[in-house]
Amino acid sequence: LSAFSEFAASQSTIEGHNAYLKPNAVQYISLALHELIAMSLLNGALSVPDGRLLFSSTLEDAEGGEGRDLILSWRETGMAAPYSLADSRFGKALLEEIVPAALGGKASAEYDQPRGFSYWLRVPQSQFF
């Protein structure tokens, strides 16, 4: 985050499971993170001094009952006003359709919170070690 903004690292908390992603997952998750960071710097929590970002990763039982899924969670708070992925058709398609489809996972974005935005991505175990 420091490469994008002088203050982004101090406004952010990153925690959770450190999964070893397979190459396909690295590519698509990197695209998603880049889009989330760009949107946050332009309109979100990282665009205002009091904004906060929490990025976490956890392991949960797979929805199908076999193995574990990696859950990536992005939550922004303290924004001047909430923004919508609808503001960026590319961002919406990338985060809610392209990335989850490429990984065989699921994703969801919530942007109706007062002064907040959240996104989560469920990555199946076939995409990490």
Side-chain angles (χ1 to χ4, degrees):
L1 290 169
S2 296
F4 295 98
S5 163
E6 181 179 349
F7 304 106
S10 64
Q11 291 177 260
S12 306
T13 302
I14 301 171
E15 60 188 24
H17 181 73
N18 188 14
Y20 292 98
L21 302 172
K22 292 183 177 180
N24 185 61
V26 169
Q27 178 179 345
Y28 283 99
I29 292 171
S30 294
L31 284 170
L33 288 174
H34 185 274
E35 185 65 19
L36 288 165
I37 291 167
M39 290 188 319
S40 185
L41 287 168
L42 290 173
N43 303 307
L46 298 180
S47 70
V48 294
D50 294 331
R52 295 289 305 151
L53 165 63
L54 171 61
F55 178 75
S56 64
S57 62
T58 57
L59 290 176
E60 291 184 5
D61 290 335
E63 290 183 332
E66 290 188 34
R68 311 270 293 189
D69 288 345
L70 179 66
I71 309 300
L72 302 177
S73 174
W74 176 280
R75 179 160 168 73
E76 297 180 48
T77 57
M79 300 160 32
Y83 63 89
S84 168
L85 286 180
D87 296 340
S88 167
R89 289 189 296 191
F90 172 76
K92 182 174 177 54
L94 180 73
L95 294 171
E96 294 184 328
E97 298 171 27
I98 297 168
V99 170
L103 298 175
K106 294 183 178 181
S108 176
E110 296 178 16
Y111 34 81
D112 57 347
Q113 311 165 28
R115 297 174 31 124
F117 170 79
S118 63
Y119 173 78
W120 63 262
L121 175 64
R122 179 178 287 271
V123 181
Q125 191 166 5
S126 62
Q127 297 293 330
F128 64 94
F129 300 103

